Amino acid sequence: MSKIIDGKAVSAQVKERIKAETAALKEQGIEVGLAVVIVGEDPASKVYVRNKKRACEEVGFNSYEYALPEDTTEEQLLELVQKLNADDKVNGILVQLPLPKHLDDKVIINNILPEKDVDAFHPVNVGKIMIGDYSFLPCTPAGVMELIASTGTEIAGKECVVIGRSNIVGKPQAMLLLHRSGTVTICHSKTENLKEVCRRADILVAAVGRAKMITKDYIKEGAVVIDVGMNRDENGKLCGDVDFEDCKDKAGYITPVPGGVGPMTIAMLMQNTLTAAKVKNKKM
Ligand code: GUN
């Protein structure tokens, strides 16, 4: 029987620490602010944005929400981004993705000041991650690292397999594991012998976006299995990329969905926003 990694509990610890630091900054007259921008009516995005706002309240940040209509033009969105770039009360800017089809994510992200880019999506921050000079840690991969750390598992020298090569998760995840001296393999839709490669992993991170794709034949006995997936199963129930029921007796540690990686992503966003405020106010 594997141990279930409780993402809610780990994220609560992280948020408690952030809350204490935020309160200490407030005593010095420094407030922390996060601006969240959502364009259109995507239901999943609305839930994410609501959760981010709630997390801001929990840790004592000011949150500024901008809900723009679906037909917002690039010019209008860029105008808002520039306004937030110049606003001293705003330490972090998050533009919720995906944007409606007529808007280009890259153009928008490239216009967020790198020092306010708390998603770590701007090319300057992506480049810094590559060379291990972190200002902001990419939120989901950083959350995964915290969850691995919570198991006490040493990464150095271990076989780490990341399934998925997205810019948001797969690629930065591989970098973070590599910086901890893991032996890292990135798998994707063209990978041959996927099962065999995954079965080598001491640490397996699944970020594929396919419901319950990873069954016990993909995992090594005792492996740490981290599930980044957020899908709906055949009954419309929230589930991950890993078939939890099938894998839970074979893995050493495993994250559930929901309650695994999800809460960590938001905790790390709070961490990045606090970092942005500290850097701006020369507190680190
Ligand atoms: N959409 C899904 N995940 C994310 C995220 O981490 N950041 C942003 N900005 N949009 C997302």
Side-chain angles (χ1 to χ4, degrees):
M1 186 71 189
S2 56
K3 296 206 172 81
I4 295 167
I5 306 173
D6 185 347
K8 272 197 200 152
V10 180
S11 74
Q13 285 166 13
V14 173
K15 282 190 284 187
E16 275 307 312
R17 185 179 41 71
I18 295 171
K19 186 176 174 180
E21 276 197 60
T22 305
L25 284 177
K26 205 163 189 174
E27 283 184 6
Q28 302 169 51
I30 298 167
E31 296 200 16
V32 183
L34 174 66
V36 179
V37 180
I38 177 169
V39 184
E41 301 295 327
D42 182 64
S45 291
K46 281 187 173 176
V47 174
Y48 290 137
V49 165
R50 199 185 317 135
N51 290 342
K52 286 167 186 173
K53 199 172 162 194
R54 192 177 301 148
C56 283
E57 283 161 14
E58 273 172 51
V59 299
F61 294 174
N62 300 317
S63 72
Y64 309 99
E65 190 183 331
Y66 295 84
L68 306 182
E70 182 84 23
D71 61 357
T72 299
T73 63
E74 181 176 289
E75 195 187 1
Q76 288 167 327
L77 184 53
L78 286 176
E79 198 177 308
L80 173 60
V81 168
Q82 297 304 352
K83 191 181 107 183
L84 298 172
N85 279 342
D87 187 339
D88 272 343
K89 294 194 297 301
V90 173
N91 300 108
I93 302 170
L94 180 141
V95 177
Q96 187 66 28
L97 303 179
L99 287 169
K101 285 201 173 52
H102 66 281
L103 295 168
D104 184 345
D105 299 1
K106 278 202 201 89
V107 173
I108 307 303
I109 288 165
N110 290 358
N111 276 280
I112 296 174
L113 274 182
E115 56 267 37
K116 294 192 178 190
D117 165 42
V118 284
D119 267 321
F121 290 168
H122 190 287
V124 166
N125 289 321
V126 174
K128 285 185 166 188
I129 292 159
M130 190 81 173
I131 58 176
D133 165 19
Y134 303 118
S135 309
F136 301 125
L137 290 160
C139 299
T140 298
V144 169
M145 298 305 278
E146 291 279 339
L147 292 177
I148 297 170
S150 78
T151 69
T153 304
E154 175 67 59
I155 296 171
K158 295 284 169 59
E159 289 272 359
C160 305
V161 173
V162 179
I163 324 173
R165 55 175 156 180
S166 70
N167 289 328
I168 294 184
V169 184
K171 287 187 218 169
Q173 186 70 68
M175 279 302 136
L176 298 192
L177 290 163
L178 182 62
H179 291 148
R180 295 289 188 81
S181 302
T183 302
V184 183
T185 306
I186 307 176
C187 298
H188 45 77
S189 54
K190 299 279 191 296
T191 298
E192 293 181 359
N193 306 319
L194 180 65
K195 260 186 206 170
E196 285 69 24
V197 178
C198 291
R199 266 207 302 260
R200 291 205 308 256
D202 302 301
I203 298 169
L204 182 66
V205 181
V208 201
R210 274 182 59 190
K212 299 184 187 176
M213 178 190 153
I214 305 303
T215 54
K216 64 176 183 300
D217 330 341
Y218 286 77
I219 63 173
K220 176 167 150 180
E221 187 90 43
V224 177
V225 178
I226 309 283
D227 189 352
V228 181
M230 188 68 86
N231 315 297
R232 298 269 166 194
D233 70 8
E234 59 284 4
N235 303 315
K237 202 168 153 238
L238 207 57
C239 72
D241 293 344
V242 177
D243 187 334
F244 183 85
E245 285 305 316
D246 196 48
C247 296
K248 71 180 190 321
D249 291 330
K250 194 173 181 189
Y253 291 90
I254 188 166
T255 59
V257 175
V261 174
M264 290 308 297
T265 298
I266 295 186
M268 301 325 284
L269 173 69
M270 300 297 114
Q271 174 66 62
N272 282 345
T273 307
L274 177 64
T275 300
K278 284 163 74 177
V279 169
K280 174 171 170 271
N281 290 284
K282 305 200 167 33
K283 298 290 176 192
M284 69 186 288

